[in-house]
């Protein structure tokens, strides 16, 4: 009887070990599948959010460019600016002062514009803004515009 009892205990031990191993493998496999699915889900959601953010940034730039176009048209409709731009001469201080004052107001009322430089035949004629632009940057602007 003790021999049969011992076989039964060995059988139950082996059965328990097999069930434990199969259960552990099943748990690991389901955990791995769940983690893989969750990782792909998070990656897809991040890509969707990036697309939305890029579209929003593109829309913001389009709106800013449209605003700049409108401001340029409004600026050219101003009599002192039109007179200064069309009849440019370095001797007319009053026109330059009026144009600089108008452009400075334009900068003050807009948080996206920080500097305005007017050029006439590749020569800078008027700077407005909080700081003076270095000559190297002006040369780069002229080179890119040409």
């Amino acid at each position: 009887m003790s021999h049969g009892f011992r076989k039964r205990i060995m059988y139950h031990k082996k059965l328990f070990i097999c069930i434990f191993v199969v259960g552990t493998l099943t748990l690991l496999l389901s955990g791995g599948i769940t983690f893989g699915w969750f990782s792909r889900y998070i990656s897809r959601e991040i890509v969707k959010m990036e697309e939305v953010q890029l579209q929003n940034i593109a829309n913001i730039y389009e709106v800013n460019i449209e605003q700049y176009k409108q401001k340029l048209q409004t600026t050219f409709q101003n009599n002192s600016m039109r007179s200064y731009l069309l009849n440019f001469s370095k001797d007319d201080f009053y026109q330059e002062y009026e144009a600089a004052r108008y452009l400075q107001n334009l900068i003050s009322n807009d948080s996206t514009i920080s500097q305005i430089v007017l050029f006439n035949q590749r020569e800078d004629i008027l700077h407005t803004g909080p700081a003076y632009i270095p000559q190297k940057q002006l040369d780069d602007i002229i080179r890119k515009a040409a």
Side-chain angles (χ1 to χ4, degrees):
M1 193 132 157
S2 95
H3 189 324
F5 182 70
R6 214 177 263 189
K7 279 187 173 184
R8 206 178 319 156
I9 289 179
M10 286 295 257
Y11 173 75
H12 284 297
K13 283 183 181 177
K14 287 181 182 179
L15 183 64
F16 176 73
I17 290 173
C18 286
I19 290 173
F20 179 77
V21 168
V22 168
T24 304
L25 289 176
T26 304
L27 187 63
L28 289 174
L29 184 63
S30 65
I33 290 171
T34 304
F35 179 76
W37 174 85
F38 189 69
S39 176
R40 284 190 300 277
Y41 173 76
I42 293 294
S43 296
R44 278 182 269 148
E45 289 301 312
I46 288 173
V47 167
K48 287 179 186 175
M49 287 188 320
E50 288 173 344
E51 288 174 355
V52 168
Q53 287 178 342
L54 287 174
Q55 185 62 42
N56 289 343
I57 290 171
N59 290 341
I60 288 170
Y61 279 111
E62 287 177 12
V63 167
N64 283 347
I65 288 172
E66 190 60 37
Q67 286 179 349
Y68 296 150
K69 286 179 183 178
Q70 290 174 353
K71 287 180 182 183
L72 283 173
Q73 288 173 349
T74 305
T75 301
F76 191 72
Q77 290 172 358
N78 181 303
N79 289 334
S80 61
M81 283 301 297
R82 189 173 342 131
S83 172
Y84 179 71
L85 293 172
L86 295 177
N87 305 321
F88 172 72
S89 72
K90 290 191 175 198
D91 300 331
D92 196 353
F93 175 78
Y94 178 74
Q95 278 188 341
E96 182 176 349
Y97 171 76
E98 285 292 316
R101 192 178 71 154
Y102 182 83
L103 293 176
Q104 191 61 44
N105 288 338
L106 190 67
I107 290 173
S108 299
N109 294 330
D110 189 341
S111 62
T112 59
I113 299 174
S114 61
Q115 195 81 21
I116 296 177
V117 180
L118 298 180
F119 294 94
N120 183 14
Q121 298 178 357
R122 297 183 183 212
E123 178 185 345
D124 54 345
I125 58 174
L126 183 62
H127 296 262
T128 55
Y132 192 77
I133 297 178
Q135 188 63 38
K136 183 181 182 310
Q137 283 184 334
L138 292 174
D139 294 340
D140 287 345
I141 291 169
I142 291 171
R143 184 176 40 81
K144 288 177 184 177

